[in-house]
Amino acid sequence: NAGVTQTPKFQVLKTGQSMTLQCAQDMNHNSMYWYRQDPGMGLRLIYYSASEGTTDKGEVPNGYNVSRLNKREFSLRLESAAPSQTSVYFCASSVNRNQPQHFGDGTRLSIL
Amino acid sequence: GDSVTQMEGPVTLSEEAFLTINCTYTATGYPSLFWYVQYPGEGLQLLLKATKADDKGSNKGFEATYRKETTSFHLEKGSVQVSDSAVYFCALSDNTGNQFYFGTGTSLTVIP
C-alpha cells in the first residue's frame, strides 16, 4: 500500500549543485504537486500538474523546474541549489485538483 | 481570493483535556473543507472532511462542523492523548475544481 513515494529521504548539497527529487504515486491520480515546508511558513506550493502533460507554477516556483514524466511520476529539479532552498519538500497527489491530497513522507534537503 | 486562517500555535494541553483549534475561511460559493494532521517526520494525512454546510466530519475522536453562517470549521476533540501531538492543518478546496488552499498549521503538544 505504497501511496506516494518520494526519493531520496535526505540529501545534503553544496551551493551550485543540481539535484532531482523523485515522486511516484500508485493511486492512478490525475493531479500531482510539489510543496516546500519551512518553519512558521506552512506549506507553499512550488509547482503542480493538474493532469498528465501539463504543469503550472505555484506560489514559489523560482529556482525550480518540474517534469510530469507520465501519470505516475512527477519530478522536481533544482538546477543550481542555493542555501535558501534548504527545506522539507513534499510531493502530493489527488484524483483531481479539488479533491483531498495524499502526501509522501518528504525529502529533507540541506544546502550548504 | 479564497483563503484559510488558523489559530496561531503552539498549543500545549494536558492529557484528557478538551481541544479546540479554530479555522475560518474566505471563499465564494460552497467550498469543501478539510483537516489534515502531520505527525513528526511524516507527511500530511487527511483527518476528516466536510463537503457542504452543516456537515460534520469525524475521525479518531476528532470532529469539525462546516458552519457557513460563521465561515468556520473548528477542530475539536473531547479528550486528547499524548499520541495526538502533531501539527494540524485546515484546508479548503474551491467549488471551481481548480484550487486547494492550506492554512499555516497549528502545532499541538499533549503532555502526560
Side-chain angles (χ1 to χ4, degrees):
Chain A
N1 201 17
V4 177
T5 302
Q6 291 183 235
T7 56
K9 295 189 183 304
F10 303 93
Q11 185 70 49
V12 179
L13 295 177
K14 294 181 179 178
T15 297
Q17 287 185 314
S18 62
M19 160 144 208
T20 300
L21 307 185
Q22 306 288 352
C23 174
Q25 52 92 7
D26 62 3
M27 296 172 283
N28 201 36
H29 286 171
N30 291 309
S31 301
M32 297 185 74
Y33 315 82
W34 276 105
Y35 293 91
R36 61 179 289 174
Q37 186 177 33
D38 302 292
M41 303 288 287
L43 288 170
R44 292 187 291 171
L45 183 64
I46 304 171
Y47 271 93
Y48 68 94
S49 171
S51 60
E52 186 178 358
T54 69
T55 61
D56 287 285
K57 295 178 180 179
E59 181 184 356
V60 290
N62 290 345
Y64 305 95
N65 286 300
V66 290
S67 296
R68 184 75 183 265
L69 304 170
N70 48 55
K71 192 169 187 179
R72 291 187 63 249
E73 299 173 286
F74 188 41
S75 62
L76 178 72
R77 182 160 179 84
L78 288 70
E79 290 291 352
S80 179
S84 61
Q85 294 178 305
T86 293
S87 188
V88 182
Y89 291 85
F90 287 99
C91 178
S93 70
S94 62
V95 174
N96 289 305
R97 276 285 278 159
N98 66 339
Q99 296 299 309
Q101 296 177 19
H102 299 254
F103 284 78
D105 286 338
T107 295
R108 284 146 186 83
L109 182 62
S110 293
I111 298 158
L112 307 177
Chain B
D2 294 2
S3 66
V4 173
T5 302
Q6 288 183 235
M7 65 183 286
E8 294 285 332
V11 174
T12 303
L13 294 174
S14 298
E15 204 165 23
E16 299 184 2
F18 185 86
L19 168 70
T20 300
I21 300 178
N22 290 338
C23 172
T24 57
Y25 68 89
T26 302
T28 55
Y30 303 94
S32 295
L33 301 171
F34 308 87
W35 277 101
Y36 281 79
V37 59
Q38 183 181 29
Y39 298 105
E42 298 183 10
L44 280 70
Q45 303 172 27
L46 181 65
L47 181 59
L48 53 83
K49 67 177 182 180
T51 57
K52 61 183 187 294
D54 299 325
D55 267 2
K56 178 185 284 188
S58 61
N59 186 25
K60 299 182 181 179
F62 291 90
E63 294 183 338
T65 301
Y66 186 164
R67 302 283 189 200
K68 188 164 176 62
E69 64 275 15
T70 55
T71 62
S72 65
F73 192 55
H74 304 323
L75 182 68
E76 297 181 335
K77 186 174 185 182
S79 176
V80 293
Q81 305 300 312
V82 172
S83 57
D84 293 327
S85 297
V87 180
Y88 293 82
F89 291 87
C90 187
L92 167 159
S93 74
D94 72 9
N95 62 353
T96 69
N98 291 325
Q99 298 294 336
F100 202 97
Y101 302 92
F102 285 93
T104 54
T106 301
S107 175
L108 169 67
T109 300
V110 180
I111 55 177

